[in-house]
Amino acid sequence: MTTSLQRVLTTLGHQEPDRTPLFLFTTMHGARELGLSIQEYFSRAEHVVEGQMRLLEKYRSDCLYPFFYASLELEAFGGDTLFIENGPPNAGRPIIHRSEDIDQLEPPSVAKAVCLFRVLETIGQLKARVGDTVPIIGVVMSPFSLPVMQMGFDHYIELIYEQPARFSRLMAINEAFCVEWANAQLAAGATAICFFDPVSSTTNIPRDLYLKTGQPSAMRTLKRINGPTATHLASGRGLGIVADIAATGTAVLGVSALEDLALLKDAARNKLTLLGSLNGVEMRRWTADEAEAEVKRAIAKAGRGGGFILADNHGEIPWQVPDDVLLAIRDAVDRWGRYPLNWIA
Amino acid sequence: MSELCEALEALDRPRIEALFQRALATDGPLQVIERLIVPSLKQVGDGWHDGRVALSQVYMSSRICEDMIRRVLPARAPGHGGQARMAIVVLNDYHMLGKRIVYSVLRASGFDLFDYERMDVAEIVDRAEADRLDILLVSVLMLPSALKVPELRSALEARGVHVRIAVGGAPFLFDTNLWREVGADAVGYSASDAVGIVQQWMEEAK
């Protein structure tokens, strides 16, 4: 029987596996499985391990996703996290209050950042449970996107345009941290690293600026990460920079529901595996029929020839998405994702 | 106008300033705003919605226009001269960029408004009542914040604050039915949409 890891590796090789791999990025749903609040759930590695294993059994996703929340990295820099009862934790106040603060900023040591240990413990325990059968996806924020939490998006945009020297220093700090954090997760047992880089999306900055800022930062960072990476634009647009992102050395691109998956597939063919692009916001009110139709549409546009993993388009399924919808997605992949995809006209 | 749009998208501040001064040489500030700035910012905003222009360009260009307008048309109290009394707020979450852009675009379009920064439902109700608002612009990034709008609407009505609510932010882009579901009166898909919504509501109130 084909394992999830074999299935994913085949599609990453731009070959057709037995069926389309499905990554259900359920981070918070494990809390519901265990009857815990989201804050309680993320307070212990054992909770997340148990939650991820229960979700794996329930939805038969082709990955484990030991991602806690993005602001964990801000915590490593001395910031804090704000929990809510029905959604992902938010970053607290920025740690860079004035751009001059960057002059004194230093990258935190992963080995000393206690807040990160829970993630490493989770990855290690999951690896002990599944071995090499199911890919374990670690997560980092890209050095180029982390400043949105570190200093606020408005001040960060101003920094990019107006203070190139301080921008470069901030990238050097964040790149050092990102590489150490990614490699620690790989050493703990992660199979690959999802490199969240929404600021690089053409939704957020123009391509010419990306080529001078986000792309070189990604290139410097990814080549120092000791394992495969997937770049995720977290719902942002990327069609205009597919080849530029491929040039960073990443293997996978998480794409937006706002762009045509068929056009993305043409642009990425044999260069990048596409990951996406089910609309997570709409998903919470889909019927089973709508879920099936969306799965079918995505597979029809991007499934042929491999190089495609079906997932939501943001990298995190909202808390509000009910089990019924996720199970309907699972069933639809079983029905329409089997290769060869002869049903496609 | 297209010349200004090009300069705005390129963030070419000297050229933007020159075009603005050239327009001011023949027209008053209000005419320049109406005929040049508002349509140009709308074109930039539409470009973002269509995927041709990036958020960083929208943000920086709106700030440049806001600065220029502030010099010739200093901020006054919201509600002056027959304008609607309006405010903008980030509801519950902590992502301020969208609100900042809409605020700048409205200021650059000649509107004065309260900036509530970030508030929860109870804080908004208190301020909306005290400021006797006609219009409330609500910006969110996170889906749970968008789903708080019905609670906000109910709390405002329970207090007897009858205000029209326009919403904007990522969840509404990804689910175009969401604004109706949460009971908003309008949705903006780009910052410049806020100008049209406010203008329309002010017309209707006449």
Side-chain angles (χ1 to χ4, degrees), chain B residues 26-157:
Chain B
T26 53
D27 285 316
L30 288 174
Q31 286 76 31
V32 172
I33 287 170
E34 191 179 325
R35 293 176 197 163
L36 185 68
I37 302 293
V38 171
S40 297
L41 286 175
K42 179 168 182 355
Q43 196 165 321
V44 173
D46 290 347
W48 180 74
H49 189 239
D50 297 343
R52 290 181 291 105
V53 174
L55 199 62
S56 65
Q57 294 163 292
V58 179
Y59 173 63
M60 295 300 282
S61 61
S62 66
R63 291 293 305 274
I64 293 169
C65 289
E66 184 190 3
D67 287 347
M68 291 189 314
I69 298 300
R70 188 186 293 126
R71 293 202 305 269
V72 296
L73 207 64
R76 289 164 292 181
H80 72 85
Q83 280 196 7
R85 294 180 66 81
M86 62 178 160
I88 188 164
V89 69
V90 173
L91 174 59
N92 258 49
D93 67 39
Y94 290 83
H95 301 85
M96 312 301 278
L97 182 64
K99 183 219 62 157
R100 189 73 191 83
I101 293 172
V102 175
Y103 180 86
S104 292
V105 168
L106 282 166
R107 280 291 303 124
S109 303
F111 292 100
D112 290 286
L113 66 162
F114 297 104
D115 183 354
Y116 289 172
E117 298 288 347
R118 182 261 172 204
M119 286 187 180
D120 61 25
V121 168
E123 291 168 318
I124 295 173
V125 173
D126 287 345
R127 281 297 303 271
E129 184 180 40
D131 291 333
R132 294 175 286 112
L133 290 188
D134 304 307
I135 294 173
L136 179 63
L137 306 167
V138 176
S139 172
V140 301
L141 183 73
M142 312 292 288
L143 176 61
S145 303
L147 297 174
K148 278 268 181 192
V149 174
E151 184 185 330
L152 173 63
R153 166 71 84 193
S154 299
L156 285 164
E157 287 176 0

Side-chain angles (χ1 to χ4, degrees), chain A residues 14 74 87 98 110 131 137 140 147 195 229 244 248 266 271 296:
Chain A
H14 300 275
L74 190 72
R98 304 171 308 142
V110 170
I137 312 299
V140 295
F195 183 80
T229 57
D244 305 319
T248 65
D266 285 344
K271 291 197 282 279
K296 207 175 158 185

Side-chain angles (χ1 to χ4, degrees), chain A residues 1-301:
Chain A
M1 193 178 103
T2 305
T3 67
S4 288
L5 184 58
Q6 290 167 336
R7 183 172 298 124
V8 171
L9 289 173
T10 303
T11 209
L12 289 177
H14 300 275
Q15 301 292 316
E16 295 185 348
D18 59 335
R19 68 159 169 74
T20 303
L22 172 66
F23 280 10
L24 283 176
F25 291 130
T26 42
T27 54
M28 297 164 280
H29 286 66
R32 191 174 288 151
E33 290 292 321
L34 271 61
L36 299 172
S37 71
I38 291 169
Q39 185 167 7
E40 285 173 323
Y41 177 67
F42 286 124
S43 68
R44 293 175 58 89
E46 289 73 15
H47 294 163
V48 181
V49 171
E50 183 60 25
Q52 282 290 305
M53 292 306 297
R54 288 194 195 183
L55 294 170
L56 182 68
E57 186 178 0
K58 189 175 201 173
Y59 304 129
R60 292 180 291 113
S61 174
D62 286 303
C63 74
L64 287 162
Y65 197 47
F67 173 52
F68 280 44
Y69 43 87
S71 61
L72 207 55
E73 294 192 17
L74 190 72
E75 289 180 28
F77 276 88
D80 55 21
T81 295
L82 304 164
F83 288 87
I84 57 174
E85 62 183 18
N86 61 348
N90 265 273
R93 295 196 182 283
I95 54 148
I96 298 170
H97 306 288
R98 304 171 308 142
S99 58
E100 291 84 349
D101 294 346
I102 293 168
D103 303 343
Q104 311 303 324
L105 193 67
E106 295 292 338
S109 162
V110 170
K112 294 178 183 169
V114 177
C115 59
L116 303 177
F117 294 178
R118 277 171 289 156
V119 177
L120 299 177
E121 283 175 40
T122 302
I123 291 171
Q125 290 183 35
L126 288 173
K127 179 74 174 176
R129 300 266 196 114
V130 301
D132 290 326
T133 60
V134 181
I136 299 169
I137 312 299
V139 168
V140 295
M141 298 302 114
S142 82
F144 186 58
S145 294
L146 185 60
V148 173
M149 290 190 289
Q150 291 173 310
M151 61 190 304
F153 206 168
D154 46 356
H155 298 302
Y156 181 45
I157 290 174
E158 290 163 14
L159 183 86
I160 293 172
Y161 280 108
E162 296 170 354
Q163 299 195 55
R166 285 206 171 100
F167 167 76
S168 294
R169 173 166 167 74
L170 185 57
M171 289 306 98
I173 293 163
N174 288 353
E175 286 165 20
F177 172 71
C178 181
V179 168
E180 191 186 355
W181 177 219
N183 286 336
Q185 292 181 67
L186 290 165
T191 315
I193 297 295
C194 190
F195 183 80
F196 272 96
D197 195 15
V199 178
S200 288
S201 156
T202 52
T203 295
N204 291 319
I205 62 164
R207 176 175 179 264
D208 59 346
L209 186 58
Y210 168 65
L211 295 179
K212 294 178 202 158
T213 55
Q215 192 202 38
S217 173
M219 284 174 164
R220 290 190 296 267
T221 306
L222 296 185
K223 72 180 181 188
R224 294 164 60 200
I225 293 177
N226 303 326
T229 57
T231 297
H232 206 304
L233 301 179
S235 312
R237 296 174 195 263
L239 181 58
I241 53 171
V242 167
D244 305 319
I245 290 174
T248 65
T250 197
V252 178
L253 175 61
V255 293
S256 174
L258 297 178
E259 292 182 316
D260 188 313
L261 199 49
L263 294 177
L264 285 159
K265 178 75 174 188
D266 285 344
R269 198 178 305 279
N270 295 323
K271 291 197 282 279
L272 290 170
T273 289
L274 296 183
L275 175 70
S277 60
L278 301 176
N279 186 327
V281 181
E282 284 187 351
M283 193 184 284
R284 81 207 147 80
R285 57 176 174 73
W286 282 349
T287 63
D289 285 347
E290 286 169 331
E292 181 176 11
E294 291 294 333
V295 167
K296 207 175 158 185
R297 185 185 59 81
I299 291 173
K301 288 191 172 194

